[in-house]
C-alpha cells in the first residue's frame, strides 16, 4: 500500500506528463496555425498577382472584357470597354452599362442577363452598344460564364463583348440585294406570263405552239416560286416576315392543300390517312405554304414511288402533321442541315430542281408559331416530315407536384431520387422543345445538388419531336454544370426518334472530365450498368 507522499508524487508525475502532452499539442496547433497563416498569405499574394495578370491580359485583348459579382453587378471592365463607351473605370460599375445599350435591345438583353443570373447558366446574346466617339451603335456578341467554388456556388461572372458589326452589315446588304433583285424580277416576269397566256388563248390546243407555250408557263411558275422563296428569306433575315393570325379550321385547310396538289400530280396518289378536326389560331396562308412545301418535296424526292401519305392528329394539345414519302431517303448526318438556307442533300441539285429554301422557310414559319419541325428517314425507303403546332399557341409546361428537394413531377418530365439505388431516376415525357428541355435540365441540376447524387438514369424512351435547339446549350453549359455539381455516372436511354438521338449525342461528351456516360437502347441494361457502380 502506497504512502500519502508516494500518492502525491505519482499524481505530480501524471500532471507533468499531461502538461507535456498539452504543451506538445499547443506547439503543434501553433505550427499548424502558422502554416495556415503563411498559406493564406501565399494564396492572397497569388490571388493579387493573378488578378493583376488577368487585368494586364484583359487590357491587351481585342475585345471588351468585364466581370460581375454573383448578383450580376458589374465590378470591372477593361480599357477597351472604357475607351469605346466612355464609362468610368470604377470599382463598382453596377448597372451603368445599360445606358449604352440600344433602346430596342435593352429589355431583351436585361431579361436574358437576369435569366442567366437566376438559373446560373451562361449568357450569350447579340446587341448594339453605343460608341462614345461618334454615337453610333455597333453590333456585339456578348458572352459570360459563371465561375463556381468547390460547393458549386457562383462567385464571379466573366464576360466579353466582341464586335460583329461588319458581319451584320454584310448580312444586311446581302438580304437587301436579294429583296431588291427579287422585286425587280417579279415585274417583267408578270408581264411575260401575261403575254404568254394571251398567246395561248389565241391558239388551238392541238397545235405544237400551244404545247410549247404551256411548257413555258410551267417553267415561269417555277421561277415565280423561286423568286417568292428568295423574298421570304430576305424578310425572315430582316425580321420583317409578317404573320396575320386568325382562327381557321386546320383540317379543312389541310384537305384543301392536298386536293390542289393532287390536281398537279398525275403519278402520285396523295392519301390523307388521318385528319383530326381542330380549330387553330395562326396565319392560314403561311401554314398552307408549309404543307405545300412538304408535299412538293415528297413528290420531287420520290420519283419512282406512286403514293404520299398525310396524317394530322391531335396529341397532348398539339397538332402533329406528317407527310410520308417512299423515295430516296436521307443520310442521318444530313438531317439537321436540311433546315439551313440553300442546303441540298449531297449533289441532288444535279437531279432535282430548286434552291433548297423551302424547308428553311417552312421551319422558320413553324418556329414563329411556337412549333417544331423534325424528320425520320431511311436511305432507299423514304422519309417522314413532321411539324408540331401547339393548339393554345404555346406548349404548356405544367408543374404538377414537387417537394423541391428529392422529386419533381410535371406534364413533360418526372424525376425522383432513389435512395436505395443512390441515383436520380429521370423520365422525359412526350414532345420536347427548347423550353421544356431547359426547364427540365435545370430542375434536374437543382435536385442533384440538394441530394448530393452522383448517378442519373435519364430515360428518353417516351420522347418525340425535335429539341435540337437545346442540344448545344446542354453540351456547353448544362452537362458541365452537372459535373461541377457532383455528377459522375450518367445512363442515357435512347428515344426512338432519330432527331432526339442526334441531339442526345450533341448534349453530352461521353469522354468528358470526371463523368462516365453511356447510351442504351434498353432501360434494364442501363439500370444494370448504373447498379454495378459503387
Amino acid at each position: 500500500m502506497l504512502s500519502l507522499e508516494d500518492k502525491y508524487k505519482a499524481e505530480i508525475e501524471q500532471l507533468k506528463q499531461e502538461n507535456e502532452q498539452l504543451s506538445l499539442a499547443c506547439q503543434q496547433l501553433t505550427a499548424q496555425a502558422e502554416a495556415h497563416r503563411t498559406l493564406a498569405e501565399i494564396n492572397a499574394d497569388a490571388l493579387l498577382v493573378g488578378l493583376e495578370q488577368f487585368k494586364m491580359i484583359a487590357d491587351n485583348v481585342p475585345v471588351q472584357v468585364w466581370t460581375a459579382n454573383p448578383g450580376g453587378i458589374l465590378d470591372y471592365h477593361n480599357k477597351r470597354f472604357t475607351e469605346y463607351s466612355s464609362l468610368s473605370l470604377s470599382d463598382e460599375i453596377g448597372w451603368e452599362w445599360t445606358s449604352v445599350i440600344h433602346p430596342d435591345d435593352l429589355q431583351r438583353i436585361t431579361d436574358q442577363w437576369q435569366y442567366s443570373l437566376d438559373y446560373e447558366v451562361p449568357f450569350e446574346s447579340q446587341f448594339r452598344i453605343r460608341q462614345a466617339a461618334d454615337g453610333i451603335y455597333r453590333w456585339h456578341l456578348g458572352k459570360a460564364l459563371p465561375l463556381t467554388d468547390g460547393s458549386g456556388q457562383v462567385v464571379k461572372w466573366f464576360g466579353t463583348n466582341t464586335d460583329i458589326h461588319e458581319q451584320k452589315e454584310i448580312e444586311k446588304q446581302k438580304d437587301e440585294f436579294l429583296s431588291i433583285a427579287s422585286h425587280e424580277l417579279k415585274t417583267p416576269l408578270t408581264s411575260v406570263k401575261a403575254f404568254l397566256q394571251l398567246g395561248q388563248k389565241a391558239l388551238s390546243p392541238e397545235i405544237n405552239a400551244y404545247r410549247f407555250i404551256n411548257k413555258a408557263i410551267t417553267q415561269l411558275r417555277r421561277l415565280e416560286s423561286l423568286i417568292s422563296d428568295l423574298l421570304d428569306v430576305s424578310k425572315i433575315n430582316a425580321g420583317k416576315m409578317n404573320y396575320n393570325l386568325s382562327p381557321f379550321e386546320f383540317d379543312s385547310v389541310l384537305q384543301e392543300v392536298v386536293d390542289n396538289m393532287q390536281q398537279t400530280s398525275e403519278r402520285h396518289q396523295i392519301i390523307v390517312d388521318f385528319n383530326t378536326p381542330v380549330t387553330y389560331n395562326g396565319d392560314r396562308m403561311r401554314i398552307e405554304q408549309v404543307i405545300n412545301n412538304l408535299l412538293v418535296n415528297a413528290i420531287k424526292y420520290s420519283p419512282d414511288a406512286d403514293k404520299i401519305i398525310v396524317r394530322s392528329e391531335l396529341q397532348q394539345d398539339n397538332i402533329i402533321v406528317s407527310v410520308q414519302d417512299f423515295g430516296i431517303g436521307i443520310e442521318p448526318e444530313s438531317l439537321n442541315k436540311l433546315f439551313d438556307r440553300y442546303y441540298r442533300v449531297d449533289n441532288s441539285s444535279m437531279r432535282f430542281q430548286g434552291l433548297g429554301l423551302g424547308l428553311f422557310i417552312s421551319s422558320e414559319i413553324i418556329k414563329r408559331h411556337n412549333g417544331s419541325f423534325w424528320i425520320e428517314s431511311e436511305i432507299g425507303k423514304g422519309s417522314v416530315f413532321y411539324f408540331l403546332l401547339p393548339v393554345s399557341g404555346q406548349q404548356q409546361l405544367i408543374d404538377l407536384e414537387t417537394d423541391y428537394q428529392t422529386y419533381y413531377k410535371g406534364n413533360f418530365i418526372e424525376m425522383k431520387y432513389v435512395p436505395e439505388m443512390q441515383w436520380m431516376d429521370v423520365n422525359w415525357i412526350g414532345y420536347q422543345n427548347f423550353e421544356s428541355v431547359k426547364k427540365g435540365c435545370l430542375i434536374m441540376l437543382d435536385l442533384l445538388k440538394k441530394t448530393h447524387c452522383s448517378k442519373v438514369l435519364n430515360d428518353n424512351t417516351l420522347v418525340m419531336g425535335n429539341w435540337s435547339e437545346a442540344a448545344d446549350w446542354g453540351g456547353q453549359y448544362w452537362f458541365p454544370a452537372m459535373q461541377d455539381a457532383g455528377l459522375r455516372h450518367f445512363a442515357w436511354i435512347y428515344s426512338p426518334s432519330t432527331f432526339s438521338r442526334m441531339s442526345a449525342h450533341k448534349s453530352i461528351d461521353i469522354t468528358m472530365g470526371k463523368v462516365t456516360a453511356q447510351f442504351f437502347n434498353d432501360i434494364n441494361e442501363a439500370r444494370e450498368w448504373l447498379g454495378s457502380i459503387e
Side-chain angles (χ1 to χ4, degrees):
M1 187 176 194
L2 292 175
S3 64
L4 188 60
E5 183 178 356
D6 290 335
K7 284 184 180 180
Y8 284 140
K9 284 181 180 181
E11 289 177 2
I12 291 172
E13 187 63 32
Q14 184 178 354
L15 287 172
K16 283 181 179 181
Q17 290 176 0
E18 291 175 354
N19 187 54
E20 288 175 358
Q21 291 174 353
L22 182 60
S23 176
L24 180 61
C26 289
Q27 290 175 10
Q28 290 174 342
L29 287 173
T30 302
Q32 289 176 5
E34 182 65 24
H36 282 302
R37 186 183 68 80
T38 304
L39 184 60
E41 290 174 352
I42 292 172
N43 288 340
D45 290 341
L47 184 62
L48 289 173
V49 171
L51 186 59
E52 290 304 314
Q53 288 178 340
F54 165 74
K55 290 183 177 180
M56 181 182 72
I57 294 171
D59 284 337
N60 287 279
V61 293
V63 296
Q64 299 169 10
V65 179
W66 50 271
T67 65
N69 67 19
I73 304 298
L74 267 64
D75 51 21
Y76 166 79
H77 57 63
N78 66 345
K79 289 181 180 179
R80 183 173 290 271
F81 191 90
T82 304
E83 292 166 355
Y84 179 90
S85 64
S86 288
L87 288 178
S88 60
L89 188 60
S90 59
D91 291 334
E92 288 291 334
I93 302 155
W95 288 84
E96 187 183 351
W97 58 273
T98 57
S99 64
V100 296
I101 303 297
H102 194 287
D104 292 346
D105 303 332
L106 184 57
Q107 187 61 53
R108 171 176 58 84
I109 203 69
T110 51
D111 288 346
Q112 291 174 338
W113 178 228
Q114 191 60 55
Y115 182 91
S116 291
L117 296 173
D118 291 343
Y119 292 99
E120 299 180 354
V121 293
F123 166 84
E124 181 174 334
S125 187
Q126 295 182 12
F127 48 91
R128 288 161 286 184
I129 305 176
R130 187 179 65 240
Q131 188 167 250
D134 53 16
I136 293 176
Y137 287 91
R138 294 179 62 84
W139 281 99
H140 287 74
L141 171 64
K143 291 186 175 184
L145 290 171
L147 175 68
T148 57
D149 59 18
S151 64
Q153 296 297 311
V154 173
V155 294
K156 200 77 168 176
W157 288 84
F158 288 87
T160 60
N161 300 329
T162 304
D163 193 312
I164 57 170
H165 195 74
E166 276 69 32
Q167 296 96 306
K168 296 286 284 190
E169 285 298 305
I170 291 171
E171 289 177 8
K172 181 181 177 183
Q173 291 168 10
K174 181 180 67 177
D175 292 335
E176 287 176 349
F177 168 76
L178 285 175
S179 179
I180 293 169
S182 300
H183 277 294
E184 291 299 320
L185 284 170
K186 278 193 101 173
T187 302
L189 195 65
T190 303
S191 300
V192 170
K193 185 178 178 181
F195 283 122
L196 284 172
Q197 288 173 335
L198 287 172
Q200 191 180 42
K201 288 180 180 179
L203 298 173
S204 170
E206 284 76 25
I207 66 175
N208 287 335
Y210 182 92
R211 290 193 291 272
F212 293 153
I213 290 177
N214 196 48
K215 288 182 178 180
I217 290 174
T218 300
Q219 296 303 317
L220 277 176
R221 289 197 184 105
R222 288 178 176 173
L223 188 55
E224 280 182 323
S225 178
L226 294 177
I227 291 171
S228 178
D229 283 350
L230 287 171
L231 274 171
D232 281 344
V233 168
S234 65
K235 289 176 183 177
I236 289 169
N237 293 337
K240 295 180 180 178
M241 182 83 108
N242 294 321
Y243 293 87
N244 300 310
L245 306 183
S246 61
F248 64 89
E249 299 305 315
F250 188 91
D251 52 306
S252 299
V253 168
L254 177 69
Q255 189 64 57
E256 183 181 328
V257 175
V258 168
D259 291 342
N260 291 338
M261 184 61 66
Q262 185 67 79
Q263 293 177 14
T264 67
S265 177
E266 297 178 358
R267 181 176 179 82
H268 292 80
Q269 181 186 6
I270 306 175
I271 303 167
V272 179
D273 187 50
F274 208 84
N275 193 6
T276 304
V278 60
T279 300
Y280 179 69
N281 189 54
D283 188 316
R284 173 175 177 151
M285 185 190 76
R286 293 298 181 187
I287 297 300
E288 287 179 355
Q289 183 180 356
V290 171
I291 300 170
N292 190 74
N293 277 339
L294 295 184
L295 290 173
V296 168
N297 266 8
I299 293 169
K300 183 191 299 183
Y301 292 104
S302 59
D304 300 325
D306 59 3
K307 68 178 179 180
I308 306 293
I309 298 176
V310 180
R311 299 180 181 88
S312 176
E313 302 178 67
L314 196 61
Q315 298 180 17
Q316 299 175 342
D317 294 324
N318 298 307
I319 300 171
I320 311 296
V321 178
S322 65
V323 176
Q324 181 179 8
D325 67 58
F326 301 88
I328 62 174
I330 305 165
E331 294 281 359
E333 57 268 22
S334 299
L335 289 178
N336 263 334
K337 300 175 185 176
L338 285 176
F339 302 116
D340 295 343
R341 282 178 289 176
Y342 314 114
Y343 182 76
R344 306 294 302 275
V345 178
D346 296 328
N347 291 318
S348 60
S349 56
M350 300 295 291
R351 183 180 176 191
F352 304 109
Q353 296 178 345
L355 292 178
L357 294 173
L359 289 180
F360 169 74
I361 294 167
S362 297
S363 177
E364 290 299 316
I365 291 171
I366 295 300
K367 285 179 185 176
R368 286 295 299 270
H369 284 78
N370 296 314
S372 59
F373 216 127
W374 70 98
I375 308 167
E376 301 294 336
S377 186
E378 189 174 346
I379 291 293
K381 293 188 177 181
S383 306
V384 185
F385 286 76
Y386 296 87
F387 68 86
L388 174 152
L389 294 170
V391 174
S392 64
Q394 188 78 41
Q395 281 190 263
Q396 302 298 312
L397 307 179
I398 302 173
D399 303 322
L400 299 176
E401 188 178 352
T402 182
D403 65 353
Y404 301 100
Q405 295 292 328
T406 62
Y407 77 92
Y408 170 86
K409 183 177 181 180
N411 67 335
F412 64 103
I413 191 173
E414 297 176 0
M415 64 186 82
K416 63 179 179 179
Y417 176 62
V418 185
E420 59 270 23
M421 303 305 299
Q422 295 184 330
W423 69 48
M424 187 72 66
D425 202 334
V426 181
N427 183 28
W428 297 84
I429 304 167
Y431 293 93
Q432 303 292 332
N433 61 10
F434 181 82
E435 293 302 324
S436 66
V437 170
K438 203 167 186 178
K439 179 174 180 177
C441 284
L442 291 174
I443 293 172
M444 195 191 310
L445 176 61
D446 181 56
L447 296 187
L448 190 84
K449 291 178 179 178
K450 291 175 178 176
T451 58
H452 305 289
C453 179
S454 64
K455 296 188 286 187
V456 171
L457 183 71
N458 191 54
D459 188 2
N460 284 245
T461 306
L462 301 178
V463 170
M464 293 298 295
N466 177 14
W467 53 275
S468 59
E469 288 184 331
D472 288 333
W473 173 84
Q476 295 175 20
Y477 307 131
W478 169 71
F479 204 68
M482 291 282 284
Q483 178 180 248
D484 292 341
L487 177 66
R488 294 297 175 263
H489 304 283
F490 197 86
W492 191 306
I493 299 94
Y494 279 127
S495 160
S497 165
T498 304
F499 253 56
S500 182
R501 290 184 179 219
M502 291 166 57
S503 300
H505 283 276
K506 285 185 72 176
S507 290
I508 68 172
D509 183 346
I510 60 175
T511 62
M512 176 180 191
K514 302 174 183 177
V515 178
T516 303
Q518 294 286 341
F519 290 102
F520 297 90
N521 288 307
D522 183 77
I523 191 170
N524 291 323
E525 291 179 3
R527 284 174 176 153
E528 184 178 347
W529 176 72
L530 269 189
S532 67
I533 298 168
E534 294 296 332

